[in-house]
Amino acid sequence: MNFEDYESLPTTSIGTNMTAGAIAGIMEHCVMYPMDSVKTRMQSLLPTNGSYYYSIREVWCQMIRKEGVLRPMRGMGAVVLGAGPAHAMYFSSYECLRDCIARHSVLNTTLSSGLAGCVSTLLHDGIMTPTDVIKQRLQMVNSPYKTVMDCIRNIYRQEGPKAFYLSYTTQLAMNIPFQSLHFMTYEFCQNITNSERCYNPTAHVISGAVAGGVAAALTTPLDVCKTLLNTQQSQVRVSGLFEAIETVYRLGGPFAYFRGLKARVLYQMPSAAICWSTYEFLKYLLTATPAPTFVALAEFPASSGDSESSDEPVPSSIQRFVPSEATPAPRSLSSIPSSKPCELPMAASHHGVYNTLTISRIHSTDINTR
């Protein structure tokens, strides 16, 4: 598949793009979900069992030892339900907007990607914000909720529907710069590692990992505020972004904004690598490779290798056919005048290699039958 076919996929096949995005999103969140659970607990501003968590290993060991081996996976069902449609809308809108902006503006690919990422985030977060609320409530220590549906019912009954979107503005404030940095870094890395823009798994993994790590590190302070808004622990109740910023500083000082930084980066780097490599693979796989067509090259003289196949010279009016992926279709049969056909013994194979011959049948209107 050449560059034009590969890059033109999103604008010509929205269904393919949405399918690839949905599967990539589910893969990304599910594979790295245990690390996300660790990150959520490390960002908690209140001590757990009288002490804070200071390392990934400490959180991981205590979760498994005290709450069971499957505890880090709790809440994954909400992610499966939300990540699919969210990423389907996210990737399809991103690709379409990126190409549209690039065609109708003077912005380069990197800036077009950043702007498209900002707009796509609005759609993505509209679905993922309630998902994150449910997921993080289930991830917290001593969570009172037993299942995803139990969590949804209790939040709705006790706090109302607005509780599911309480952190929406914070999510946007975090994800708009996050996704802009993510896409700009990814496209920049692609220009270096995959300048031909073909399907290159290694380049997609490297570019995705770098993009995810850079964006995650720079937006960690807003992620801490989002976690505070989503969890609404009993001792701390906040209702807006600015109140969350003030509360984080009051409870932990300036360093509290970077709680869970290492866990967030370690979560986002492989997540982004999995997401981009899965997405690009499925985009490549689901693209229907166009069937080879045969184009006529008029007045093409016979090569020396063809002279062995017949004692008589082949007239110049006989056209040689070679395959091509981006050439117009040959003339329809209705445009060829009717005449008694003649069989030529040899013709070029469909592989288009001039010196490779195979027995096939060609009909011509310019040669009389013997």
Side-chain angles (χ1 to χ4, degrees):
M1 183 184 302
N2 58 27
F3 169 74
E4 288 79 7
D5 291 333
Y6 185 72
E7 287 297 314
S8 64
L9 169 63
T11 59
T12 58
S13 181
I14 298 297
T16 298
N17 195 49
M18 294 183 73
T19 302
I23 296 174
I26 294 173
M27 286 285 293
E28 168 196 0
H29 286 281
C30 289
V31 172
M32 296 304 300
Y33 189 83
M35 183 59 70
D36 185 55
S37 298
V38 172
K39 180 208 65 141
T40 298
R41 293 204 177 186
M42 292 188 71
Q43 288 180 340
S44 175
L45 298 174
L46 298 175
T48 301
N49 299 326
S51 62
Y52 289 101
Y53 290 126
Y54 291 103
S55 69
I56 297 174
R57 181 179 179 180
E58 180 184 2
V59 178
W60 187 271
C61 291
Q62 288 198 24
M63 286 178 70
I64 294 177
R65 185 170 60 250
K66 295 181 179 180
E67 302 174 63
V69 176
L70 298 179
R71 186 61 179 89
M73 310 297 290
R74 191 175 181 186
M76 184 184 290
V79 171
V80 172
L81 294 176
H87 282 73
M89 296 177 64
Y90 178 60
F91 277 105
S92 59
S93 60
Y94 161 72
E95 296 266 17
C96 184
L97 288 169
R98 182 197 64 181
D99 295 342
C100 183
I101 294 170
R103 284 196 305 267
H104 297 91
S105 70
V106 295
L107 299 178
N108 58 27
T109 303
T110 302
L111 294 178
S112 299
S113 301
L115 185 57
C118 290
V119 180
S120 301
T121 301
L122 297 174
L123 301 174
H124 172 270
D125 287 358
I127 298 176
M128 284 304 294
T129 298
T131 300
D132 281 342
V133 171
I134 299 166
K135 175 196 73 174
Q136 291 192 310
R137 295 276 183 113
L138 288 165
Q139 288 174 335
M140 294 303 293
V141 180
N142 301 323
S143 173
Y145 312 109
K146 298 179 181 179
T147 63
V148 171
M149 291 307 301
D150 178 53
C151 182
I152 294 173
R153 283 194 298 266
N154 278 278
I155 293 175
Y156 184 83
R157 187 183 304 118
Q158 297 172 9
E159 304 174 48
K162 68 177 183 179
F164 294 103
Y165 283 93
L166 194 61
S167 65
Y168 183 58
T169 54
T170 304
Q171 190 104 330
L172 289 177
M174 177 188 72
N175 279 345
I176 286 178
F178 174 86
Q179 300 299 353
S180 298
L181 288 168
H182 188 136
F183 281 116
M184 291 173 68
T185 306
Y186 181 80
E187 295 293 342
F188 176 77
C189 292
Q190 283 286 283
N191 291 335
I192 298 174
T193 61
N194 188 18
S195 58
E196 296 180 357
R197 293 306 182 96
C198 58
Y199 175 62
N200 187 332
T202 303
H204 297 321
V205 169
I206 294 174
S207 300
V210 173
V214 170
L218 295 177
T219 57
T220 296
L222 288 170
D223 190 53
V224 173
C225 295
K226 183 203 75 172
T227 300
L228 181 62
L229 284 164
N230 281 345
T231 54
Q232 293 291 319
Q233 294 172 272
S234 58
Q235 300 93 326
V236 180
R237 295 282 179 173
V238 292
S239 58
L241 174 59
F242 293 105
E243 186 179 353
I245 294 173
E246 180 184 354
T247 303
V248 171
Y249 185 82
R250 176 169 53 84
L251 292 176
F255 293 105
Y257 294 107
F258 294 93
R259 288 183 63 87
L261 172 63
K262 185 183 296 185
R264 178 167 163 78
V265 171
L266 289 177
Y267 164 73
Q268 285 292 344
M269 287 187 70
S271 292
I274 292 169
C275 184
W276 277 111
S277 58
T278 304
Y279 172 72
E280 297 285 2
F281 169 72
L282 290 171
K283 192 172 91 169
Y284 174 79
L285 182 67
L286 296 175
T287 303
T289 304
T293 58
F294 293 89
V295 59
L297 302 179
E299 305 297 333
F300 196 96
S303 63
S304 59
D306 294 338
S307 60
E308 300 175 2
S309 63
S310 177
D311 296 334
E312 297 179 8
V314 179
S316 61
S317 60
I318 301 301
Q319 297 173 335
R320 171 165 298 186
F321 289 80
V322 294
S324 173
E325 291 184 357
T327 52
R331 295 180 301 167
S332 63
L333 294 177
S334 60
S335 63
I336 301 177
S338 60
S339 179
K340 189 174 182 180
C342 171
E343 293 183 8
L344 295 180
M346 304 290 284
S349 71
H350 70 281
H351 296 289
V353 181
Y354 299 134
N355 295 329
T356 303
L357 301 177
T358 182
I359 298 297
S360 62
R361 184 169 293 181
I362 277 188
H363 296 285
S364 169
T365 64
D366 297 332
I367 303 179
N368 295 325
T369 58
R370 304 177 190 173

